[in-house]
Amino acid sequence: MITKWTTELRYLPYNDWSDNQIIAIKKKISLSHWRLGYHIQPTTGLLNDPNGFSYFNGQWHLFYQSFPYGPVHGLKNWTHLTSNDLVHWQDHGPLLLPGDKQDSHGAYSGSAIPIDNKLFLMYTGNVRDKQWVRHPKQDGAWLNCDNQIQKISTPLIEQPQKGFTDHFRDPQILYNAGKYYCLIGARKKDNTGHVLVYQADSVTGPWKYQTELKFTDQKMGYMIECPNLVFVDGRPVLIFCPQGIHQNVLKHANIYPNAYVIGKDFDWDTFSFVEPTEIRNLDDGFDVYATEGFNAPDGRTLAVSWIGLPDTTYPSDVEGWANCYSLVKELSIKDNQLYQKPVVENNRLVDEEINSKEIAPQTKISAKVKANTSGEIVIKTEFDEELQVAIDATNGKILVDRTNAGISFAKDYGTTRLSKVDAGKDISIDLYLDNTVFEIYINGGLRVITGRIFPKGKRFFVESDNVSFQKVKLDKIY
Ligand code: FRU
């Protein structure tokens, strides 16, 4: 097994790897202690951003940024997943492969849009020269109905806009009133983060720079990654990752936040949000980043998040894999607040009610704490490791503590997270546990706390105090 991941190894062309590398990782993973039951996880190696989330040819499509040869960031491809129900996913393996002139050092993040009988993919080609200087290209590719890829060898956007640095990536393609648009995350030469808007009459170009997306007057850190504009009941929501954003602008606990802003309306002539809200955290937990959303043809606004963070290592690295995705979530807006809820199709996972203290590693716990009381749920293992969820319905606070939940990691960023809701009201939670990942949906998805845990234990037990709750076993899909 490789213990020192040099730059050379990370960027070794795929053809130069022997099959044994993947065989060895698969063997390790087959003995894994921390694999998941019903969350999307990489077959081997590292998974990061969701890409190309779309509905095409009668199926849901989703790709993951993947480095298959080890649990590190290296030469990335898009690995293809399809689903009939947004819950059960089939992994078809790496599909959009790096290594051509326009994507020599990685097929980086992007999005997809169906056009006639094909799916158009727009992505960032990470290109580096001999001096290791980046030359980001915005590239295109077509997926046909047989799930075959054909890349477009000439970049759609050859270089960053004047005044911007080589941090220029993650195109989101959009269609409105007969025209195509794309949003690109960018870092200006003055080290500020922005979202740039391009427009084209045809997806293959020419793509023309329009302006910066206007959604705030405040400084968005030094770089914005993974911008996504979606519409919820006609209202614009920008989901994005403002790296280095000041704590005064967005109080956040993780190394990098995943944020959102809602507008009252969107002006397509000036690319501005009308009456934007303040910038908010999408998730109050430990590990969410790079969420990708899109407006599905069935009218729903769907999103899926990477549960993992850049520049962070995870205990599962020793097993040859890293990271996973959230459940697919449906977005809605109520009282100017964004709600995220696992799509209704997740009910298909429900197997049977659990009446014992011991629960399955794949369990959904639905709990309620009455107004002006406090309650607690503790998930324990046979080694007394514990994940605590303290619910204070007097002050409207939900505190999640993973301090003693197993092997600690990313602890420089703290081991507790707090969510706030209205004081003096009932609080309800739906906690999805899947061995080493948990997603806690509070008050119907008004707040979400997501995170990983890496216990030594294999058996899980629930203890509770002053909560009424129900536990159901979720069936395995992998
Ligand atoms: C975010 C990100 C993107 C980039 C991709 C590379 O996690 O850094 O900006 O396109 O990952 O894998």
Side-chain angles (χ1 to χ4, degrees):
M1 204 63 187
I2 291 155
T3 48
K4 192 164 172 1
W5 281 96
T6 58
T7 303
E8 202 189 335
L9 272 178
R10 287 171 197 247
Y11 290 90
L12 198 65
Y14 285 6
N15 287 337
D16 293 358
W17 283 100
S18 93
D19 292 346
N20 289 339
Q21 180 68 9
I22 294 289
I23 294 169
I25 299 186
K26 282 196 174 153
K27 198 164 155 205
K28 245 177 192 273
I29 290 177
S30 70
L31 305 171
S32 162
H33 180 68
W34 286 316
R35 289 294 267 181
L36 310 171
Y38 58 94
H39 282 77
I40 293 169
Q41 60 192 338
T43 321
T44 62
L46 181 138
L47 160 154
N48 60 308
D49 315 354
N51 295 157
F53 192 15
S54 51
Y55 186 79
F56 163 67
N57 194 24
Q59 279 197 307
W60 302 100
H61 292 253
L62 178 62
F63 298 79
Y64 58 91
Q65 280 281 288
S66 149
F67 179 66
Y69 298 102
V72 295
H73 291 270
L75 188 60
K76 298 280 172 68
N77 72 70
W78 285 33
T79 294
H80 191 203
L81 302 165
T82 55
S83 171
N84 293 323
D85 64 3
L86 294 167
V87 177
H88 299 83
W89 292 92
Q90 203 188 338
D91 190 326
H92 304 280
L95 191 64
L96 183 63
L97 301 175
D100 287 318
K101 203 163 82 306
Q102 74 276 19
D103 54 21
S104 57
H105 291 71
Y108 274 11
S109 288
S111 54
I113 194 166
I115 296 175
D116 301 328
N117 59 350
K118 286 188 180 153
L119 187 69
F120 185 73
L121 313 181
M122 191 164 179
Y123 68 105
T124 299
N126 184 41
V127 174
R128 297 232 188 212
D129 63 21
K130 291 221 158 49
Q131 284 68 44
W132 206 245
V133 176
R134 272 181 213 259
H135 300 278
K137 315 283 176 196
Q138 311 311 319
D139 297 329
W142 293 101
L143 181 81
N144 70 16
C145 289
D146 297 323
N147 289 333
Q148 292 158 334
I149 281 272
Q150 187 162 26
K151 287 198 211 172
I152 299 169
S153 56
T154 313
L156 307 174
I157 301 172
E158 182 65 46
Q159 57 196 17
Q161 187 55 28
K162 206 163 156 261
F164 286 82
T165 68
D166 55 5
H167 288 280
F168 177 68
R169 54 181 175 265
D170 310 337
Q172 186 210 6
I173 189 160
L174 292 162
Y175 178 78
N176 182 60
K179 291 195 163 119
Y180 292 97
Y181 297 90
C182 96
L183 305 184
I184 302 181
R187 176 174 184 163
K188 227 183 206 162
K189 289 206 165 130
D190 66 0
N191 283 332
T192 53
H194 301 268
V195 177
L196 307 188
V197 185
Y198 286 72
Q199 188 265 313
D201 293 337
S202 150
V203 282
T204 50
W207 282 91
K208 290 188 222 101
Y209 177 63
Q210 303 295 301
T211 181
E212 288 176 21
L213 187 74
K214 292 169 207 72
F215 58 94
T216 181
D217 292 330
Q218 287 179 294
K219 194 175 156 198
M220 292 294 104
Y222 56 79
M223 169 66 187
I224 290 181
E225 293 190 322
C226 304
N228 277 262
L229 176 62
V230 291
F231 291 85
V232 181
D233 302 327
R235 297 182 60 184
V237 179
L238 183 74
I239 301 174
F240 62 111
C241 300
Q243 294 190 321
I245 192 169
H246 199 283
Q247 291 286 352
N248 291 342
V249 181
L250 177 69
K251 191 147 181 48
H252 58 281
N254 299 341
I255 182 169
Y256 306 117
N258 199 169
Y260 77 90
V261 55
I262 306 178
K264 201 170 166 199
D265 207 344
F266 187 68
D267 183 341
W268 283 94
D269 296 323
T270 57
F271 304 100
S272 24
F273 274 56
V274 178
E275 293 182 31
T277 61
E278 72 285 0
I279 309 296
R280 301 170 180 162
N281 285 306
L282 186 69
D283 191 283
D284 292 332
F286 300 90
D287 300 289
V288 155
Y289 198 74
T291 300
E292 181 164 86
F294 85 109
N295 282 94
D298 62 12
R300 290 185 290 183
T301 312
L302 303 178
V304 59
S305 304
W306 174 28
I307 305 181
L309 291 167
D311 304 330
T312 306
T313 55
Y314 285 83
S316 66
D317 292 357
V318 299
E319 297 183 344
W321 68 286
N323 308 324
C324 65
Y325 284 164
S326 70
L327 300 175
V328 175
K329 303 175 271 198
E330 181 178 355
L331 307 183
S332 58
I333 297 177
K334 208 164 77 190
D335 300 333
N336 233 11
Q337 299 286 335
L338 188 71
Y339 282 71
Q340 305 169 68
K341 240 185 156 166
V343 288
V344 61
E345 289 89 334
N346 281 293
N347 292 342
R348 295 182 189 186
L349 290 170
V350 171
D351 190 359
E352 57 182 336
E353 193 162 344
I354 303 174
N355 292 312
S356 55
K357 202 172 138 187
E358 179 159 10
I359 55 169
Q362 282 76 35
T363 293
K364 178 182 168 190
I365 301 171
S366 303
K368 198 169 241 162
V369 173
K370 286 230 165 325
N372 297 314
T373 67
S374 289
E376 190 173 41
I377 291 178
V378 183
I379 297 176
K380 286 198 162 183
T381 72
E382 71 271 34
F383 296 115
D384 271 347
E385 297 152 307
E386 55 181 40
L387 176 72
Q388 298 175 354
V389 184
I391 304 161
D392 172 353
T394 306
N395 300 300
K397 290 183 177 169
I398 301 93
L399 183 73
V400 176
D401 189 338
R402 70 173 180 187
T403 315
N404 299 312
I407 295 179
S408 71
F409 63 102
K411 58 179 186 309
D412 291 353
Y413 296 89
T415 55
T416 60
R417 292 290 185 272
L418 181 69
S419 237
K420 290 186 187 160
V421 294
D422 285 349
K425 291 192 180 150
D426 290 359
I427 295 178
S428 66
I429 67 162
D430 282 318
L431 187 158
Y432 289 81
L433 174 72
D434 188 358
N435 200 25
T436 58
V437 62
F438 62 88
E439 297 180 59
I440 305 175
Y441 293 85
I442 302 161
N443 287 357
L446 169 64
R447 304 272 181 262
V448 191
I449 301 182
T450 301
R452 299 295 304 273
I453 48 169
F454 293 93
K456 223 167 40 168
K458 256 187 168 348
R459 296 174 64 194
F460 294 91
F461 304 85
V462 183
E463 285 177 6
S464 68
D465 183 30
N466 196 39
V467 261
S468 56
F469 68 106
Q470 189 210 18
K471 300 167 287 190
V472 287
K473 184 166 170 254
L474 302 177
D475 67 5
K476 275 192 175 249
I477 56 167
Y478 280 94

